[in-house]
């Protein structure tokens, strides 16, 4: 019996020693990993701290930038100079001109629409933004996807927008839940010489939401990669969506004229509702703003999402600190400051339930519609899509061309021109 007890105690002692050794080695491995990560961070931060960074902001938005860069200056001791430029072409042309010269005028950080990302990456104007996963995970997934090109992230999103449903509360007691309901309302309102609804459906930008919601697509998304050789703009879903759009025009329910003219009709009380991003109507008490009504197939309208982001230029001598600035500009607190000062909706996940968003009818409508919105493809091949598709939509809505024929012709042109 004593022998058995001795063997038992000996066995338990060995087991305890092994356990302690294992714990020790696990702890050692954990400490080693922490030290290695810290070393990597230290190596990255060994980049010399610059005296100043230069940032280019879009025209008219400096009021949102100033308080944030002042806070950054106080926290990091780096002066930040800013300049306002017209974003679409002016900033792009300046960057192409001043960047390669290296004359001290080139910016470290710039802002662009995500639609331009593929092009400016190919031209070597911006560089990959290397941040931790926890930074990327702070944003809604489509906004990061819009800033990606060839599996790499080239910017952090600062704002997102999409089209929503704007309606006159005097003509519509509430926003219709479905497009079928809206169609019936529009037919009734025509009897009173009032138009019920306007969307610029003779243009691909507005019409895509219907076509995509019916099952169409521009380029096939294969495991997060866009395949420009697989075009779905003349598939069954796209044709079905185009046929539905044509139905409204054939019934005389879409007023003639452009968006500016119809916005004027809306303000005059001669148009009950309009598809828009809502910027022009936020101050009107008689105006309601809601997500787009559901399509006849029970699916949401998949409107285009536009994303504006901050990008680190390829010409900066301070990529680490430029990235720090981009992170700082887009963190949750500073994103809300931007919303307070400009009304632009931040793509940060945390703001969805923020009181300021919930109490703002436009922001709430946008936050819901953005769940269904799709980023405009940011690859250069997208430039070949707009012309043929705009022509196709115009032919279907104004010249009553058959949708299948018009879309087949458009896709043929896209494939030929790219």
């Amino acid at each position: 019996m004593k022998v058995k007890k001795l063997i038992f105690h000996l066995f338990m002692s060995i087991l305890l020693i092994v356990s302690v050794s294992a714990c020790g080695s696990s702890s050692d491995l954990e400490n080693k990993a922490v030290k290695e990560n810290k070393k990597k961070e230290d190596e990255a931060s060994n980049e010399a701290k610059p005296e100043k960074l230069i940032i280019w902001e879009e025209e008219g938005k400096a009021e949102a930038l100033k308080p944030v860069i002042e806070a950054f200056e106080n926290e990091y001791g780096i002066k930040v100079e800013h300049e306002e430029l017209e974003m679409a072409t002016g900033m792009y042309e300046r960057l192409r001109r001043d960047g390669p010269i290296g004359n001290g005028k080139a910016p470290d950080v710039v802002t662009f629409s995500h639609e331009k990302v593929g092009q400016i990456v190919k031209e070597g104007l911006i560089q990959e933004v290397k941040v931790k996963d926890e930074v990327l995970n702070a944003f809604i997934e489509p906004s990061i996807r819009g800033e990606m090109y060839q599996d790499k992230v080239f910017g952090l999103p600062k704002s997102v927008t999409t089209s929503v449903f704007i309606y006159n509360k005097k003509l519509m007691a509430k926003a219709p839940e479905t497009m079928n309901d809206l169609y019936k309302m529009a037919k009734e309102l025509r009897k009173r010489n009032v138009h019920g609804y306007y969307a610029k459906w003779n243009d691909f930008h507005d019409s895509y939401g219907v076509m995509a919601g019916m099952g169409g697509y521009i380029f096939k998304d294969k495991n997060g990669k866009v395949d420009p050789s697989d075009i779905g703009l003349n598939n069954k879903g796209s044709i079905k969506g185009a046929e539905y759009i044509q139905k409204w025009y054939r019934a005389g329910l879409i007023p003639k004229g452009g968006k500016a003219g119809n916005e004027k009709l809306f303000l005059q009380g001669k148009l009950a509702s309009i598809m828009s991003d809502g910027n022009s109507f936020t101050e009107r008490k008689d105006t309601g703003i809601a997500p787009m009504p559901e399509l006849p197939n029970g699916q949401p309208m998949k409107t285009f999402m536009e994303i504006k982001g901050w990008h680190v230029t390829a010409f900066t001598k301070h990529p680490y600190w430029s990235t720090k600035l981009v992170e700082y500009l887009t963190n949750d607190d500073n994103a809300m400051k931007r919303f307070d000062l400009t009304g632009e909706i931040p793509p940060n996940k945390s703001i969805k339930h923020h009181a300021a968003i919930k109490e703002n009818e436009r922001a709430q409508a946008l936050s819901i519609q953005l769940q269904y919105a799709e980023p405009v493809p940011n690859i250069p091949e997208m430039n070949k899509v707009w012309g043929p598709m705009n022509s196709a939509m115009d032919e279907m809505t104004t010249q009553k061309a058959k949708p299948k024929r018009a879309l087949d012709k458009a896709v043929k042109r896209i494939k030929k021109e790219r």
Side-chain angles (χ1 to χ4, degrees):
M1 193 75 177
K2 288 181 179 180
V3 174
K4 285 184 179 180
K5 281 185 179 181
L6 185 61
I7 292 170
F8 173 76
H9 287 303
L10 181 61
F11 173 75
M12 291 303 292
S13 299
I14 293 169
L15 185 64
L16 182 62
I17 291 167
V18 171
S19 299
V20 170
S21 298
C23 289
S25 59
S26 173
S27 178
D28 288 343
L29 287 171
E30 195 174 313
N31 290 334
K32 187 179 179 182
V34 170
K35 285 177 182 177
E36 284 178 357
N37 287 335
K38 182 71 169 63
K39 185 181 178 183
K40 286 178 183 177
E41 285 186 23
D42 288 343
E43 285 173 356
S45 62
N46 280 340
E47 175 186 286
K49 187 181 285 191
E51 290 184 12
K52 72 173 182 179
L53 294 171
I54 298 174
I55 184 170
W56 285 356
E57 170 67 288
E58 63 181 301
E59 208 166 27
K61 298 295 172 66
E63 77 262 26
L65 187 62
K66 288 176 184 177
V68 180
I69 61 177
E70 284 175 11
F72 180 86
E73 288 173 338
N74 291 334
E75 185 166 337
Y76 292 102
I78 301 171
K79 178 70 177 173
V80 180
E81 291 183 1
H82 73 277
E83 185 176 350
E84 286 185 285
L85 293 167
E86 188 274 320
M87 189 174 71
T89 55
M91 193 176 297
Y92 168 65
E93 294 300 337
R94 275 274 303 273
L95 186 60
R96 293 181 77 201
R97 185 182 73 230
D98 292 346
I101 296 173
N103 56 4
K105 294 182 180 179
D108 300 283
V109 174
V110 292
T111 183
F112 281 110
S113 165
H114 83 279
E115 295 175 52
K116 222 171 180 66
V117 166
Q119 180 181 339
I120 57 180
V121 168
K122 287 189 78 172
E123 290 187 40
L125 301 179
I126 60 173
Q127 62 180 278
E128 181 184 1
V129 172
K130 297 177 181 179
V131 295
K132 294 178 181 178
D133 287 344
E134 63 194 58
V135 174
L136 299 178
N137 291 337
F139 304 97
I140 59 173
E141 187 272 334
S143 70
I144 291 295
R145 187 159 27 101
E147 295 291 350
M148 294 182 71
Y149 183 68
Q150 296 181 339
D151 293 333
K152 294 180 180 178
V153 179
F154 285 92
L156 295 184
K158 67 173 181 175
S159 66
V160 286
T161 191
T162 193
S163 296
V164 286
F165 186 76
I166 317 294
Y167 64 102
N168 185 325
K169 292 179 179 178
K170 293 179 180 177
L171 298 172
M172 285 183 181
K174 63 178 183 177
E177 292 186 7
T178 70
M179 289 301 295
N180 284 340
D181 292 338
L182 180 59
Y183 187 86
K184 292 172 186 175
M185 289 181 188
K187 293 198 85 170
E188 286 298 315
L189 286 166
R190 286 307 291 136
K191 295 174 184 177
R192 294 158 48 187
N193 202 30
V194 173
H195 279 286
Y197 175 66
Y198 172 77
K200 197 179 180 183
W201 277 343
N202 62 330
D203 184 278
F204 179 58
H205 183 276
D206 280 10
S207 60
Y208 178 71
V210 179
M211 296 165 71
M214 294 284 197
Y217 58 88
I218 302 174
F219 305 123
K220 191 70 172 179
D221 190 318
K222 296 179 179 178
N223 299 320
K225 290 184 179 180
V226 176
D227 181 1
S229 67
D230 188 341
I231 300 172
L233 292 171
N234 59 341
N235 70 3
K236 289 182 180 179
S238 290
I239 293 167
K240 190 175 180 181
E243 287 172 345
Y244 181 71
I245 286 171
Q246 196 175 63
K247 173 185 174 181
W248 280 75
Y249 281 84
R250 285 182 169 170
L253 296 178
I254 301 292
K256 295 178 181 179
K259 185 164 277 190
N262 281 297
E263 284 184 353
K264 188 176 180 181
L265 277 183
F266 180 86
L267 296 172
Q268 291 172 347
K270 296 177 182 178
L271 172 64
S273 64
I274 191 168
M275 180 179 178
S276 170
D277 64 8
N279 273 328
S280 307
F281 312 104
T282 52
E283 302 301 323
R284 295 177 60 85
K285 292 181 180 179
D286 61 350
T287 299
I289 306 179
M292 294 303 300
E294 188 180 88
L295 290 167
N297 65 346
Q299 295 299 310
M301 197 178 290
K302 295 183 178 179
T303 50
F304 270 138
M305 178 188 294
E306 275 78 44
I307 306 154
K308 292 176 185 175
W310 292 113
H311 308 273
V312 176
T313 72
F315 313 107
T316 181
K317 294 178 181 178
H318 316 286
Y320 174 81
W321 290 105
S322 297
T323 302
K324 274 289 180 192
L325 176 57
V326 168
E327 284 187 46
Y328 196 83
L329 290 166
T330 56
N331 69 34
D332 292 349
D333 290 339
N334 290 326
M336 279 308 301
K337 286 178 185 175
R338 189 171 189 89
F339 169 73
D340 290 338
L341 293 167
T342 68
E344 293 176 299
I345 306 299
N348 304 54
K349 291 176 183 175
S350 69
I351 63 93
K352 186 177 179 181
H353 303 293
H354 198 286
I357 297 292
K358 284 188 171 183
E359 293 166 8
N360 185 301
E361 189 176 14
R362 175 176 173 268
Q364 188 64 13
L366 277 164
S367 67
I368 295 170
Q369 185 61 36
L370 283 164
Q371 296 176 57
Y372 314 117
E374 296 182 1
V376 179
N378 66 10
I379 59 175
E381 288 86 346
M382 185 62 194
N383 294 329
K384 304 297 183 182
V385 172
W386 296 109
M389 285 305 297
N390 284 338
S391 296
M393 296 313 304
D394 188 62
E395 288 172 15
M396 285 182 278
T397 56
T398 62
Q399 301 171 37
K400 300 181 180 178
K402 290 185 178 179
K404 186 179 187 309
R405 185 179 299 173
L407 293 175
D408 282 345
K409 185 171 78 171
V411 170
K412 188 176 180 180
R413 272 185 62 194
I414 293 166
K415 289 179 176 179
K416 185 179 178 181
E417 292 178 8
R418 68 165 187 235

